[in-house]
């Protein structure tokens, strides 16, 4: 489709719609309620320190609990492994 054909096929917007849009834009620009936008709040140093301390506490708690839970399983795991190795040595000689 050529540009000339498009101009003929698509009707132009009437003048009263242009005027209505211009009036609405002028009214909204004059209104102070639309122009006031909220700014993002910046993080303060005490807030950053509090969040960092909370994260460090959470990570250390999770790690200590994980180590405590797994440390009780480690001796039984190694005992099982050594027993299997012992059995494998005797089975291979038979």
């Amino acid at each position: 489709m050529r540009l000339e054909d498009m101009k003929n096929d698509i009707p132009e917007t009437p003048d009263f719609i242009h005027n209505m849009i211009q009036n609405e834009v002028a009214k909204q620009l004059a209104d102070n309620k639309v122009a006031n936008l909220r700014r993002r709040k910046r993080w303060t140093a005490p807030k950053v320190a509090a969040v960092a301390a909370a994260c460090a506490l959470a990570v250390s708690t999770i790690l200590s609990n994980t180590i405590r839970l797994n440390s009780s399983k480690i001796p039984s795991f190694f005992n099982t492994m050594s027993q299997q190795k012992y059995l494998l040595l005797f089975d291979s000689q038979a």
Side-chain angles (χ1 to χ4, degrees):
M1 220 179 199
R2 291 190 295 168
L3 184 61
E4 293 84 22
D5 295 336
M6 289 178 66
K7 285 183 181 178
N8 293 333
D9 291 341
I10 301 172
E12 288 190 22
T13 308
D15 287 336
F16 74 93
I17 293 179
H18 284 292
N19 292 336
M20 188 170 42
I21 291 172
Q22 289 176 351
N23 291 337
E24 186 64 29
V25 169
K27 185 171 49 169
Q28 287 183 7
L29 288 175
D31 191 13
N32 289 335
K33 293 178 186 173
V34 176
N36 293 333
L37 299 175
R38 274 183 57 187
R39 291 187 60 189
R40 284 182 74 178
K41 293 182 180 179
R42 294 204 178 260
W43 285 56
T44 60
K47 189 175 183 180
V48 170
V51 170
C55 288
L57 180 65
V59 168
S60 64
T61 303
I62 291 169
L63 285 176
S64 66
N65 287 338
T66 304
I67 291 169
R68 188 179 311 138
L69 287 173
N70 286 335
S71 65
S72 64
K73 296 177 184 176
I74 289 174
S76 63
F77 173 76
F78 284 121
N79 287 339
T80 306
M81 290 299 291
S82 64
Q83 288 173 359
Q84 286 178 354
K85 205 182 280 186
Y86 182 73
L87 291 174
L88 287 174
L89 286 174
F90 278 109
D91 286 342
S92 63
Q93 291 177 358

